[in-house]
Amino acid sequence: MEVTCVKALVTGKVQGVWYRRAAQEQALKQGLTGHAFNLPDGRVEVLACGQKEAVRVFSEWLWKGPENARVTHVGLEVIETHAPDDFRTG
């Protein structure tokens, strides 16, 4: 299986609305590994690694987020990295 990894910087009302936990749940549903971390500037950094189609579906979900989130921008970058073994939040 070829693994694809993307790094996303998610902008908008994405902190304090369970965005990271919801991202983790969605990632695990897709069989992805990675992380979702709050950044000091109010954005959330997301790393997602897995099968290309699963990463694509997850990347589309990042624009929606959980019910109370208001995403205004998602910057995506395909990166070369060693895929982590799990999906963490922090």
Side-chain angles (χ1 to χ4, degrees):
M1 169 183 87
E2 185 178 338
V3 173
T4 298
C5 292
V6 296
K7 178 179 172 183
L9 295 176
V10 185
T11 305
K13 183 181 173 189
V14 292
Q15 290 191 13
V17 293
W18 295 92
Y19 192 93
R20 290 173 298 145
R21 176 65 66 197
Q24 182 182 41
E25 290 173 2
Q26 291 297 317
L28 294 174
K29 283 182 188 176
Q30 296 294 329
L32 303 177
T33 61
H35 66 245
F37 297 140
N38 283 342
L39 297 175
D41 65 5
R43 296 179 297 171
V44 172
E45 176 186 297
V46 179
L47 173 69
C49 299
Q51 292 183 321
K52 189 174 185 175
E53 179 63 12
V55 170
R56 184 193 65 75
V57 169
F58 178 72
S59 296
E60 289 179 2
W61 178 88
L62 292 174
W63 278 96
K64 180 181 176 189
E67 183 179 344
N68 292 325
R70 298 292 176 265
V71 178
T72 58
H73 184 74
V74 177
L76 282 175
E77 175 186 4
V78 176
I79 61 171
E80 298 290 327
T81 187
H82 173 73
D85 296 328
D86 59 3
F87 196 96
R88 298 175 286 125
T89 61

